[in-house]
Amino acid sequence: MKNKISEEEQRQLFISLWHDHNVQLVCEVPVFCRSVDLVKYNQKERAVTAVEFKTHNWKRAIEQVISTAVSFDYLEICVQKPKTQKVQEKIIKRCGELGVGIYFMESEKQQFEHVLLPQKVKKMWEVQKTQVIQFIEKGGCALRG
C-alpha cells in the first residue's frame, strides 16, 4: 500500500480489518453541528465509542473527538504511527491524560495497533448519547455488526 493514505482510506481499512462482531461500526454519525468519523456501538452494553481518524495532526484528532465527549462513553483516535518513539510517547502521554484511546496505523503493513485503551467519559449527557444510539438503531449507515 502506498505511504500517503487519505483519512477515508485509513477508515475503510480499519473497517475491513474489524473482527469484533459484537460491535457495530457506523460512519459519519451526526453529533451537534458535525459528524464523527466512526462510531463503535456495543449493543449488548449500550456503549458508544467515537473514533476520529487523521493521517497527520494528531492534536486536531484529539480536539475533534473531545468536542463530542458528552455524547459518548469512550473516545478514541486513529493516527498514522509516528516515525519516532519520542512522538509516539508524546501522543500516548497526552491521550492518557485525557482518557482518549489510540490506534496507531502502519500503512506499509496495513495494520492497526491499539496502543491505549480509552477511559470511560466522566461527564456524559445521557440525552445526547440516546440520540446517537437512536440514529444507529434506525439504520444510520451501519457497516458491520
Side-chain angles (χ1 to χ4, degrees), residues 117-133:
L117 294 174
Q119 298 169 21
K120 182 101 165 107
V121 171
K122 291 177 177 65
K123 293 182 180 179
M124 196 230 309
W125 184 15
E126 199 62 45
V127 172
Q128 189 61 35
K129 176 186 169 181
T130 299
Q131 288 180 351
V132 168
I133 291 173

Side-chain angles (χ1 to χ4, degrees), residues 25-54:
L25 302 179
V26 183
C27 289
E28 302 299 334
V29 174
V31 177
F32 306 124
C33 296
R34 56 180 302 271
S35 63
V36 175
D37 289 341
L38 185 73
V39 172
K40 297 179 349 189
Y41 175 46
N42 184 322
Q43 190 171 9
K44 184 178 178 182
E45 297 175 13
R46 293 198 54 82
V48 284
T49 303
V51 185
E52 286 293 339
F53 290 81
K54 287 284 178 240

